[in-house]
Amino acid sequence: MSRIAYLGPEGTFTEEALRLLEPGAERLPSATVTAALNAVRSGEADAAVVPLENSLEGGITTTLDEFAWGEPLLITAELLLPVRFSLLVRPDTGLAHIKRVYTHPAAITQCRGFLNRELADAVVVSAPSTAAAAQEVSLPGSPYDAAIAARIAGEHYGLVELLDDIGDRSDTVTRFVRVTRPGPLPEPTGSDRTTLVVFLADDHPGALLEMLTEFSVRGVNLSRIESRPTGQGIGRYFFHFDLEGHVADARVGEAIAGLHRICGEVRFLGSYPRADGMAPSIKRGMADPDFAGAQEWLTRIRAGRV
Ligand SMILES: O=C(O)C(=O)Cc1ccccc1
C-alpha cells in the first residue's frame, strides 16, 4: 500500500483530494506543504498530495516555491476539487461574539466578501491549514472564536457549523497535485499537462517574449504562467508554466528544449493526465508526424539527396 503525505491534520480539503486520487492509500498528515514534500524527498512517504492553485487567487505560493527551490520532485497526477467553506465555532459562540477568526490564507481570500460584510471588525489570522484552524478553535481557551474550514473538519473536531457555504463564489475550484521523487513519467494520454519552472539566463528586453515564442511557434498552448520573485532583489523573477501536452509530444519536447537553449535553468516538474480530460487543439504542422517528417527531410537534404 502506498504511503501518501498530505497537508493535514485530518479534515483538510487536501485530504479530500487525496481520498479521491488514491482511495486505498495510507494517509500521512503533515503540518505544512513543505513537510509533506520533504516526507517524499526523504523517502518517508511514496508521494504527497498538495494544493497548487485555485481559480480565484491563482497559485499557492508555498507550493510553487517548494517546486522551484527544493530537491526536484515530479507531478504525476492532478485533481480539480470545488471547495465549500463553513464558519465553525464552539457550541456557545454566536456571530456577534466572533472577534478572531482562524483559517488558511487560501480560505481568507476566497471568503473575503463574507468576512468584510459579516465580520468586518474581526481579526483574521492565517493558519497552516483549515483543519489545523478547526482543531485549534476546538481547544478550550483557544484565542480564536471561529475557524473557516470544511464541514467535515467541524464534525471531526466537535465544532458547530454556524454558517455554510460562505465562500464568495460557489464555482471556485482548487487544483491539487500528486508528487513523487523523480522516476518514470506517466504515459501520454492525449490529454496531458506539463509543468515547468524557468529561470532566466540574464535580464534583458524581450526575455519573456523569447520564452513565449518557443511555445508560440510550435503551437503549444499555456494554461498558467506565473512569475515569482527569486529573492535576489526587486525586479528579479522566475516563471512557472503549465502547458497543454506531454513532454513526449514533439511540439512540447522541442519547445522545452528551445527554452533549455536560451534560458538559465529549466526545471521539468512533470507531464501527467489532465483532470478535465480536454484534448489540445493541434495546429497545422504541429503534430508528431509533422515533426518526424521535417526531421527526415532535413537529414535527406543534409546528405545532398535533394
Ligand atoms: O487548508 C486546507 O484545508 C487545504 O487543504 C488548503 C486549502 C485551503 C483552502 C482552499 C483550498 C485548499
Side-chain angles (χ1 to χ4, degrees), residues 132-149:
Q135 188 176 36
E136 162 64 40
V137 169
S138 74
L139 302 174
S142 165
Y144 305 103
D145 309 306
I148 297 176

Side-chain angles (χ1 to χ4, degrees), residues 248-251 282-283 285-297:
D249 299 332
R251 65 185 192 293
I282 300 174
K283 283 171 45 181
M286 302 301 172
D288 282 6
D290 300 316
F291 280 89
Q295 192 56 51
E296 271 167 33
W297 173 80

Side-chain angles (χ1 to χ4, degrees), residues 9 12 16 33 40 61 67 74 76 82 96 116 124-126 137 142 151 171-172 187 199-200 208 215 243 245 251 287:
T12 57
E16 197 180 334
V33 164
V40 182
T61 50
F67 284 170
L74 275 183
T76 52
N116 288 340
V124 184
V125 180
S126 289
V137 169
S142 165
R151 169 181 294 166
D171 56 355
T172 307
E187 292 292 320
F199 295 87
L200 297 176
L208 180 58
F215 300 121
L243 334 170
R251 65 185 192 293

Side-chain angles (χ1 to χ4, degrees), residues 38-55:
N38 283 341
V40 182
R41 291 180 174 123
S42 71
E44 190 190 325
D46 302 309
V49 173
V50 294
L52 181 67
E53 65 169 327
N54 74 69
S55 58

